[in-house]
Amino acid sequence: MDITLVERLLSAEGWALLGSLPPYDDATSLKLGEALRDAGYDGDLVAAALTQSRLRARARNKLGDFADGMLLTPDGLEQATRLEIAARHAGRFRAAGVPHLWDLGCGIGADAMAASALGLSVTAVDSDPATAAIAGVNLRHFPDADSRVGDATQIAALIPTEDGAWFDPARRIPGTTDAHGRTRRTFRLDDLSPAFSTILETAARVPATGAKLSPSLSHSAIPAGCEAQWISFYGEVLECTLWWGPLVHHQGRTALVLSPQGTETLVTEQDTDPGAGGLGPVTNTMPTAGQYVWDPDRAVIRAGLVGALTAATDGAELSHGVGYVVSSRPIDLPYARRYEVIDALPLQTKTVRSWLRQHGIGRLVIKKRGAQVDPDTFRKDLHLDGNGEELTCLLTRVGSRQAFIAVRPC
């Protein structure tokens, strides 16, 4: 969306039109658009208003009730921090006593809104005039917040050292789109905007600095002395956040697991065996019936903290990097799903097919990690008829061997 269209939406006519729209319904949007154009509204303004209505409907799950009064862009909404997580980010700055927060690369302003809602004074900065204007609209209810157009690199160099700096760098390549027409993502630190070097230079000068990065961040890229926290929400790993100075709660790698039940669990390097670097023992022995296999949350795996699971269960990882942990202790953990082992076999189609027939299995729920096999092809080759019992199985590695592990959720 360009600045001209933003200004038209913010005009008396545009804002009134946007406020008059009914709850978005994809099935009736075309008819509604025709009716609005027949009523005399300009076609571009109608299209922009309906796009905002559609984006607001999508945003409610991510941004809550705030979404109903916001202006949005597709890329901005996709990158925006979830409300629950943005509030946690803002809480770190408030707890550290930061008097003013600079949100550099603010996008649509979701993090700035969360910080403002917690009482922080905020300046939101974006290099794109339309995006900065949108952030300003979204921050309009907070008197101590403003937005401006600016170069994040230049502004970062001027931030007072007692203030806080927050980066959510753009991870999109302008002018390059994917098959769905969306701006293509980048996972290279060198392609971030503002650049990763700017983040590091700012953190070296402004103690209270934080940066939201991709959960694919390599462990080798984590700067010394900071906290790198992988966050999962309802099982999906959303980000890796770097924290410096007074914002560090646990130095090193951590994983924050937020559950659908509203609980949160923190896993740190201190939860692993001392000196193991987050790793735990690995076994070369196939699990046996009656043992248990745990599937840790993906944030724990991304953070390289499976060693916390092996330590808690006195268990061993089935193979380095797969995450599955086997043990004989039937304990429950809030950051891992537990399964009881029924049997474990080599991952060979004929062997598995014979076992399934012997046990009257007609349907499979397949969980795969670490195995070099396509689940759909594997399922087809088993010739299951859909009758009989349903079984959950893990397709993975045990040591260097591929394995089929029949399990029962506990």
Side-chain angles (χ1 to χ4, degrees):
M1 186 169 9
D2 61 30
I3 187 63
T4 302
L5 196 51
V6 173
E7 291 171 347
R8 292 195 65 189
L9 282 171
L10 294 178
S11 68
E13 179 189 33
W15 200 250
L17 173 60
L18 189 55
S20 70
L21 296 178
Y24 183 79
D25 183 349
D26 191 58
T28 60
S29 62
L30 287 177
K31 185 176 181 180
L32 176 59
E34 292 175 358
L36 291 171
R37 287 188 290 271
D38 289 343
Y41 287 101
D42 175 76
D44 288 342
L45 182 60
V46 169
L50 288 176
T51 296
Q52 287 301 309
S53 181
R54 174 173 55 84
L55 289 174
R56 285 177 172 183
R58 283 176 47 197
R60 289 187 192 107
N61 181 54
K62 193 174 193 178
L63 301 173
D65 292 340
F66 284 118
D68 292 336
M70 295 177 68
L71 287 186
L72 305 160
T73 66
D75 287 349
L77 175 57
E78 187 166 345
Q79 182 160 331
T81 307
R82 292 194 68 93
L83 180 62
E84 298 89 341
I85 298 174
R88 285 171 170 79
H89 295 341
R92 291 213 189 204
F93 287 102
R94 185 177 67 175
V98 170
H100 188 91
L101 179 63
W102 296 79
D103 185 351
L104 304 175
C106 64
I108 61 174
D111 281 298
M113 290 173 64
S116 299
L118 289 185
L120 276 73
S121 173
V122 178
T123 298
V125 179
D126 202 280
S127 61
D128 177 62
T131 302
I134 287 171
V137 173
N138 296 337
L139 289 167
R140 66 190 182 279
H141 298 300
F142 303 102
D144 292 329
D146 69 345
S147 68
R148 66 179 66 172
V149 180
D151 183 292
T153 301
Q154 295 177 1
I155 292 177
L158 303 175
I159 296 176
T161 57
E162 68 271 15
D163 285 358
W166 171 251
F167 292 89
D168 185 359
R171 295 183 289 277
R172 302 276 178 178
I173 303 177
T176 304
T177 57
D178 60 18
H180 302 286
R182 296 173 298 191
T183 310
R184 188 177 297 277
R185 289 187 183 188
T186 178
F187 298 97
R188 286 166 38 87
L189 289 177
D190 292 343
D191 293 334
L192 297 179
S193 178
F196 190 55
S197 59
T198 297
I199 297 173
L200 296 179
E201 290 165 4
T202 304
R205 194 181 65 82
V206 180
T209 294
K212 172 186 165 185
L213 301 175
S214 165
S216 64
L217 180 71
S218 170
H219 292 179
S220 64
I222 300 172
C226 75
E227 176 181 355
Q229 183 170 94
W230 279 260
I231 302 178
S232 70
F233 186 83
Y234 294 15
E236 180 184 4
V237 187
L238 298 179
E239 64 184 63
C240 175
T241 313
L242 299 183
W243 301 104
W244 283 267
L247 305 176
V248 172
H249 292 173
H250 300 273
Q251 188 171 310
R253 289 172 280 113
T254 66
L256 179 63
V257 179
L258 305 176
S259 76
Q261 292 75 33
T263 61
E264 60 179 74
T265 304
L266 181 68
V267 182
T268 74
E269 290 187 45
Q270 288 68 45
D271 296 319
T272 67
D273 290 329
L279 303 176
V282 176
T283 184
N284 289 310
T285 304
M286 283 281 201
T288 57
Q291 287 189 301
Y292 300 92
V293 172
W294 283 262
D295 181 9
D297 185 272
R298 291 184 179 273
V300 175
I301 297 174
R302 288 291 186 105
L305 297 175
V306 175
L309 181 54
T310 60
T313 61
D314 291 330
E317 194 173 4
L318 292 180
S319 182
H320 180 63
V322 302
Y324 294 128
V325 169
V326 62
S327 172
S328 297
R329 294 185 58 194
I331 66 172
D332 292 323
L333 295 167
Y335 59 86
R337 178 70 186 274
R338 179 164 59 95
Y339 299 89
E340 183 180 358
V341 176
I342 299 171
D343 207 346
L345 314 167
L347 185 51
Q348 299 169 354
T349 302
K350 289 183 178 180
T351 302
V352 173
R353 185 191 301 137
S354 176
W355 187 93
L356 294 175
R357 287 176 177 172
Q358 291 175 13
H359 291 78
I361 304 300
R363 303 182 306 280
L364 277 183
V365 176
I366 297 176
K367 297 174 64 67
K368 182 184 84 77
R369 191 182 303 131
Q372 299 300 314
V373 61
D374 177 68
D376 291 333
T377 301
F378 179 69
R379 191 195 307 272
K380 181 178 179 181
D381 291 343
L382 293 174
H383 305 308
L384 299 175
D385 60 11
N387 298 317
E389 299 295 325
E390 181 177 85
L391 175 75
T392 300
C393 68
L394 312 179
L395 307 184
T396 187
R397 295 194 316 273
V398 177
S400 60
R401 296 173 296 169
Q402 296 197 105
F404 171 95
I405 305 175
V407 297
R408 180 183 300 110
C410 296

